């Protein structure tokens, strides 16, 4: 079943984050995947193991990454998964971890018989009180 394959891909992504394994993480993307991620710029094309290696190096601990409330929709060669994601880690030079909840949508296409991410959109809401601060304090 396609949903199980996609859930396995998500589980592999969480393990790759925990293991700080950029090559394994990048392997889940199709070539030229479009990414609207938490970090700048507003749009990236392709997944970069080099960027992830540097990013993983900014943490003194494994990066805990979990998908919650995952809903998978599949039609033929395309699928998408929506979820709330939770990331936690101890930044280098700090003693306490941060925890961030955010929204995640992944779009998949079958490439050579395997599901690959072709589009990723992660976002945090912002306070609409005039401060425009990211609402990083939200919890489900």
């Amino acid at each position: 079943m396609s949903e199980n394959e996609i859930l396995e891909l998500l589980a592999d992504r969480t393990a790759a984050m925990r293991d700080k394994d950029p090559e394994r993480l990048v392997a889940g993307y199709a070539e030229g995947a479009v990414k609207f991620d938490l970090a700048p710029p507003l749009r990236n094309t392709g997944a970069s193991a080099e960027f992830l290696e540097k990013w993983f190096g900014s943490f003194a601990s494994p990066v805990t990454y979990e998908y919650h409330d995952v809903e998978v929709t599949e039609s033929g060669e395309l699928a998408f998964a929506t979820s709330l994601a939770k990331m936690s880690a101890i930044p280098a030079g700090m003693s306490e971890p941060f925890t961030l909840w955010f929204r995640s949508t992944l779009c998949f296409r079958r490439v050579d018989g395997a599901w690959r991410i072709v589009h990723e959109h992660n976002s945090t809401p912002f306070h609409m009180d005039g401060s425009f601060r990211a609402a990083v304090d939200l919890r489900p």
Side-chain angles (χ1 to χ4, degrees), residues 2-99:
S2 296
E3 182 174 352
N4 289 338
E5 293 173 65
I6 289 170
L7 293 175
E8 287 175 18
L9 181 59
L10 296 180
D12 190 54
R13 287 174 55 80
T14 62
M17 291 285 274
R18 180 193 63 239
D19 296 341
K20 296 184 178 180
D21 186 342
E23 296 296 333
R24 191 161 136 209
L25 196 58
V26 169
Y29 290 92
E31 187 175 332
V34 174
K35 295 180 65 181
F36 299 151
D37 218 340
L38 298 174
L42 290 173
R43 174 192 169 123
N44 273 320
T45 303
S48 169
E50 182 181 337
F51 170 81
L52 289 169
E53 185 74 36
K54 289 177 186 174
W55 184 71
F56 286 141
S58 71
F59 296 108
S61 71
V63 179
T64 302
Y65 199 93
E66 303 168 9
Y67 293 99
H68 294 265
D69 304 325
V70 178
E71 293 184 24
V72 176
T73 303
E74 181 255 336
S75 179
E77 298 298 304
L78 295 174
F80 67 91
T82 60
S83 67
L84 295 177
K86 178 184 176 187
M87 180 172 52
S88 184
I90 300 172
M94 304 290 223
S95 59
E96 297 295 320
F98 75 91
T99 298

Side-chain angles (χ1 to χ4, degrees), residues 71-133:
E71 293 184 24
V72 176
T73 303
E74 181 255 336
S75 179
E77 298 298 304
L78 295 174
F80 67 91
T82 60
S83 67
L84 295 177
K86 178 184 176 187
M87 180 172 52
S88 184
I90 300 172
M94 304 290 223
S95 59
E96 297 295 320
F98 75 91
T99 298
L100 173 67
W101 284 89
F102 57 96
R103 303 169 291 203
S104 180
T105 301
L106 298 169
C107 299
F108 303 87
R109 181 183 308 130
R110 278 211 182 269
V111 178
D112 297 327
W115 289 109
R116 294 289 176 251
I117 299 165
V118 294
H119 180 78
E120 178 176 18
H121 188 129
N122 297 315
S123 66
T124 58
F126 69 92
H127 292 284
M128 306 283 286
D129 59 3
S131 70
F132 303 108
R133 294 176 300 115

